[in-house]
Amino acid sequence: MDLSVPMVEVKMAKPGIALYWAASCGGCDVAVLDTNEKILDIASIADIVFWPIALDFKYHHIEEMEDGSIDLCLFNGAIRSSEQQEIARLLRAKSKVMVAFGACACFGGIPALGNFTNRAEIMRRVYLEAPSNANTDGALPQTLTKVREGELVLPELFDTVSTLAQVVDVEYFVPGCPPPIDIILKVVQLFATGQLPPAGAVIASDKTLCDECERVKNEKKISRIWRPHEIIPDPERCLLEQGIICCGPATRGGCGLRCLKANMPCRGCFGPPPGVIDQGAKLVSAIASIYQANSQEEIARMVREIVDPAGTFYRFGMADSLLKRKRIQPVERGS
Ligand code: SF4
Ligand code: SF4
Ligand code: SF4
């Protein structure tokens, strides 16, 4: 008689990861796919329980989950509609750890440049004035439209774009447009090994990009600002000291100097470094400190040379800046 105890295979449930895109270009999701074969490592340590760009989950699948049943949520994109706000709140309730993934979720990103204008102006430009339009009736999108089949409901577009953390509690911030692959893999590894840092951490460098940049700096003053296409810069020297606006002094390091290695200036996608509240104000201050202007006329010329101040100083950080937006619409405050 065989008295040996039969082996019972116990399969431990893998942690669940959710990925979501809100007001986003899709680049953050593509960055996850760009981990190539490493994505199999991610799949081997965790089950992907929700990822609209790759797998056909529906919102009701998330609604049916117990609160806190998702272990890690990588949420990319800013919040600019009622749908995005609703899903952010839903995923927050279902997730143990919420990560603002990418510049748009962390700081508002490119969508938050919309905060320099307002919803009415965006609608007018996009649906009425844009030369590619054929909207002779002047129709604008409505949240509720009666059609023959019933009522068509669309999400409400908010007047103000928000960061993820302005809408729900967020444990970690992963900057970048999009986050570099090595940082994505680092996040997954920290999560898998239970070594995530204290809540509130930005998973990147604690230095400025300038601290990590090896270009030669001579504390040289400048008397002219160039746009990148107007000159071919010396690849060895600091771009700012060559008159090209580089956001390095006002940007957190950790991206691997991606743009600098292509001889292009930093645009600030890693957000402000520790201790800096407003990235744009910090950059204005850095430029003012090296621009040699001895008269009102020279200062006016400098201002003219900065062709796109909004996009230069707040390309990624408008929603998270002290400004937050250009104009407050009283009836829509807080939307
Ligand atoms: S951070 Fe960049 S790549 Fe990611 S969604 Fe925003 S614009 Fe796209
Ligand atoms: S301003 Fe730009 S180019 Fe100059 S040191 Fe800083 S990161 Fe490098
Ligand atoms: S150099 Fe600047 S803009 Fe380019 S990836 Fe790094 S932080 Fe982002």
Side-chain angles (χ1 to χ4, degrees):
M1 188 176 158
D2 183 4
L3 295 177
S4 61
V5 179
M7 292 290 289
V8 177
E9 192 185 350
V10 178
K11 283 203 171 163
M12 301 291 286
K14 286 195 275 185
I17 295 185
L19 299 98
Y20 187 71
W21 54 356
S24 149
C25 74
C28 283
D29 283 292
V30 171
V32 176
L33 293 170
D34 276 348
T35 55
N36 295 328
E37 70 280 355
K38 292 271 186 344
I39 200 160
L40 298 176
D41 295 345
I42 300 173
S44 71
I45 58 158
D47 284 330
I48 295 173
V49 297
F50 186 58
W51 194 6
I53 197 174
L55 302 159
D56 186 23
F57 291 105
K58 305 296 184 205
Y59 291 156
H60 71 84
H61 292 127
I62 297 295
E63 286 161 2
E64 289 157 9
M65 290 179 174
E66 283 183 26
D67 283 0
S69 58
I70 298 171
D71 295 279
L72 181 72
C73 178
L74 303 178
F75 191 108
N76 77 75
I79 306 296
R80 77 155 319 146
S81 77
S82 54
E83 180 196 33
Q84 292 154 1
Q85 177 178 267
E86 183 184 337
I87 302 302
R89 288 176 176 161
L90 182 64
L91 284 168
R92 169 68 280 186
K94 304 297 176 186
S95 304
K96 292 189 184 78
V97 176
M98 191 74 159
V99 177
F101 187 79
C104 293
C106 289
F107 320 116
I110 301 296
L113 286 171
N115 287 2
F116 279 102
T117 174
N118 58 40
R119 176 173 54 190
E121 287 181 11
I122 291 170
M123 288 288 184
R124 187 169 65 238
R125 177 68 192 150
V126 171
Y127 290 98
L128 305 180
E129 296 173 355
S132 56
N133 266 327
N135 182 8
T136 46
D137 296 340
L140 294 173
Q142 305 295 317
T143 51
L144 187 67
T145 307
K146 288 191 192 312
V147 291
R148 204 177 45 210
E149 294 79 9
E151 288 184 338
L152 183 65
V153 179
L154 288 177
E156 178 193 355
L157 190 75
F158 291 155
D159 197 53
T160 300
V161 178
S162 298
T163 70
L164 181 62
Q166 287 165 349
V167 173
V168 296
D169 289 339
V170 168
E171 274 80 23
Y172 301 107
F173 299 84
V174 177
C177 178
I181 289 165
D182 59 336
I183 292 192
I184 297 173
L185 294 173
K186 182 179 174 187
V187 172
V188 174
Q189 188 204 9
L190 290 171
F191 165 70
T193 56
Q195 292 180 315
L196 282 167
V202 179
I203 301 184
S205 168
D206 283 339
K207 297 178 179 173
T208 68
L209 195 71
C210 285
D211 290 335
E212 297 178 348
C213 180
E214 291 173 352
R215 286 174 180 249
V216 176
K217 292 154 246 180
N218 293 318
E219 298 188 14
K220 198 170 166 289
K221 298 279 184 190
I222 57 171
S223 54
R224 157 95 213 239
I225 288 173
W226 301 93
R227 301 181 81 188
H229 66 276
E230 291 177 325
I231 58 167
I232 298 175
D234 180 340
E236 306 294 328
R237 289 177 49 221
C238 169
L239 291 170
L240 201 49
E241 293 188 2
Q242 296 180 67
I244 297 174
I245 294 180
C246 177
C247 301
T251 300
R252 185 184 286 271
C255 69
L257 301 163
R258 283 191 293 195
C259 302
L260 281 305
K261 284 179 181 166
N263 210 15
M264 288 297 288
C266 171
R267 302 303 179 129
C269 79
F270 262 49
V276 172
I277 300 170
D278 190 298
Q279 189 180 22
K282 174 75 179 172
L283 186 57
V284 170
S285 155
I287 293 170
S289 71
I290 68 160
Y291 197 95
Q292 206 154 27
N294 299 314
S295 64
Q296 289 285 351
E297 290 73 32
E298 286 176 2
I299 292 170
R301 197 188 70 209
M302 179 192 78
V303 170
R304 280 197 305 276
E305 286 169 358
I306 302 174
V307 174
D308 175 19
T312 301
F313 298 114
Y314 292 100
R315 184 183 305 264
F316 295 101
M318 184 59 176
D320 197 41
S321 71
L322 290 173
L323 298 174
K324 185 161 168 66
R325 66 162 301 111
K326 183 180 170 193
R327 268 172 277 177
I328 300 288
Q329 301 295 300
V331 289
E332 295 181 301
R333 196 182 301 240
S335 67

Coordinates of all heavy atoms in Angstrom, one line a residue, residues 223-225 291-306:
S223 N 23.7 86.8 -26.0 CA 23.1 88.0 -26.4 C 22.1 87.8 -27.5 O 21.6 88.7 -28.2 CB 24.2 89.0 -26.8 OG 25.0 88.5 -27.8
R224 N 21.8 86.5 -27.8 CA 20.9 86.2 -28.8 C 20.3 84.8 -28.6 O 21.0 83.9 -28.1 CB 21.6 86.3 -30.2 CG 21.0 85.5 -31.3 CD 20.1 86.4 -32.2 NE 19.0 85.6 -32.7 CZ 18.7 85.4 -34.0 NH1 19.5 86.0 -34.9 NH2 17.7 84.7 -34.4
I225 N 19.0 84.6 -28.8 CA 18.4 83.3 -28.6 C 18.1 82.8 -30.0 O 17.5 83.4 -30.8 CB 17.1 83.4 -27.7 CG1 17.6 83.6 -26.3 CG2 16.3 82.1 -27.8 CD1 16.4 83.9 -25.3
Y291 N 21.3 86.0 -20.0 CA 21.1 86.8 -21.2 C 21.6 88.2 -20.9 O 21.3 88.8 -19.9 CB 19.6 86.9 -21.5 CG 19.3 87.5 -22.9 CD1 19.1 86.6 -24.0 CD2 19.3 88.8 -23.2 CE1 18.9 87.0 -25.2 CE2 19.1 89.3 -24.4 CZ 18.9 88.4 -25.5 OH 18.6 88.9 -26.8
Q292 N 22.5 88.7 -21.8 CA 23.1 90.0 -21.6 C 22.3 91.0 -22.3 O 22.3 91.2 -23.5 CB 24.5 90.0 -22.2 CG 25.4 91.0 -21.6 CD 26.9 90.5 -21.7 OE1 27.2 89.8 -22.7 NE2 27.7 90.9 -20.8
A293 N 21.5 91.8 -21.5 CA 20.7 92.8 -22.0 C 20.9 94.1 -21.2 O 20.7 94.1 -20.0 CB 19.2 92.4 -22.0
N294 N 21.3 95.1 -21.9 CA 21.6 96.4 -21.1 C 20.6 97.5 -21.3 O 20.9 98.6 -20.9 CB 23.1 96.8 -21.5 CG 24.1 95.8 -21.2 OD1 24.1 95.2 -20.1 ND2 24.9 95.5 -22.1
S295 N 19.6 97.2 -22.0 CA 18.6 98.3 -22.3 C 17.2 97.7 -22.5 O 17.1 96.5 -22.7 CB 19.0 99.0 -23.6 OG 18.9 98.2 -24.7
Q296 N 16.2 98.5 -22.4 CA 14.9 98.1 -22.6 C 14.7 97.4 -24.0 O 14.0 96.4 -24.1 CB 13.9 99.3 -22.5 CG 13.7 99.9 -21.1 CD 12.8 99.0 -20.3 OE1 12.2 98.0 -20.7 NE2 12.8 99.2 -19.0
E297 N 15.4 98.0 -25.0 CA 15.3 97.5 -26.3 C 15.8 96.1 -26.4 O 15.3 95.2 -27.1 CB 16.0 98.4 -27.3 CG 15.4 99.7 -27.6 CD 15.6 100.7 -26.4 OE1 16.6 100.6 -25.7 OE2 14.7 101.5 -26.1
E298 N 17.0 95.9 -25.7 CA 17.6 94.5 -25.8 C 16.7 93.5 -25.1 O 16.6 92.3 -25.5 CB 19.0 94.6 -25.2 CG 20.0 95.2 -26.1 CD 21.4 95.4 -25.6 OE1 21.6 94.9 -24.4 OE2 22.2 96.0 -26.2
I299 N 16.1 93.9 -24.0 CA 15.2 93.0 -23.3 C 14.0 92.7 -24.2 O 13.6 91.5 -24.3 CB 14.7 93.6 -21.9 CG1 15.9 93.7 -21.0 CG2 13.6 92.8 -21.3 CD1 15.7 94.5 -19.7
A300 N 13.5 93.7 -24.8 CA 12.3 93.5 -25.7 C 12.7 92.6 -26.9 O 11.9 91.7 -27.3 CB 11.8 94.8 -26.3
R301 N 14.0 92.7 -27.4 CA 14.4 91.8 -28.4 C 14.5 90.3 -27.9 O 14.1 89.4 -28.6 CB 15.8 92.2 -28.9 CG 16.1 91.6 -30.3 CD 17.5 91.9 -30.7 NE 18.5 91.1 -29.9 CZ 19.7 91.5 -29.6 NH1 20.2 92.7 -30.0 NH2 20.5 90.8 -28.8
M302 N 14.9 90.2 -26.7 CA 15.0 88.8 -26.1 C 13.6 88.2 -26.1 O 13.4 87.1 -26.5 CB 15.6 88.8 -24.7 CG 15.7 87.4 -24.1 SD 16.1 87.5 -22.4 CE 14.5 87.9 -21.7
V303 N 12.6 89.0 -25.6 CA 11.3 88.5 -25.5 C 10.8 88.1 -26.9 O 10.1 87.1 -27.1 CB 10.4 89.6 -24.9 CG1 8.9 89.2 -25.0 CG2 10.8 89.8 -23.4
R304 N 11.1 88.9 -27.9 CA 10.7 88.6 -29.3 C 11.3 87.3 -29.8 O 10.7 86.5 -30.5 CB 11.0 89.7 -30.2 CG 10.0 90.9 -30.2 CD 10.2 91.8 -31.4 NE 11.5 92.3 -31.6 CZ 12.0 93.4 -31.0 NH1 11.3 94.1 -30.2 NH2 13.3 93.7 -31.3
E305 N 12.6 87.1 -29.3 CA 13.3 85.9 -29.8 C 12.7 84.6 -29.3 O 12.9 83.5 -29.8 CB 14.8 86.0 -29.5 CG 15.5 87.0 -30.3 CD 16.9 87.4 -29.8 OE1 17.3 86.8 -28.7 OE2 17.6 88.2 -30.5
I306 N 12.0 84.7 -28.1 CA 11.4 83.5 -27.6 C 10.0 83.4 -28.2 O 9.0 84.0 -27.8 CB 11.3 83.6 -26.0 CG1 12.7 83.8 -25.4 CG2 10.6 82.3 -25.5 CD1 12.7 84.0 -23.9

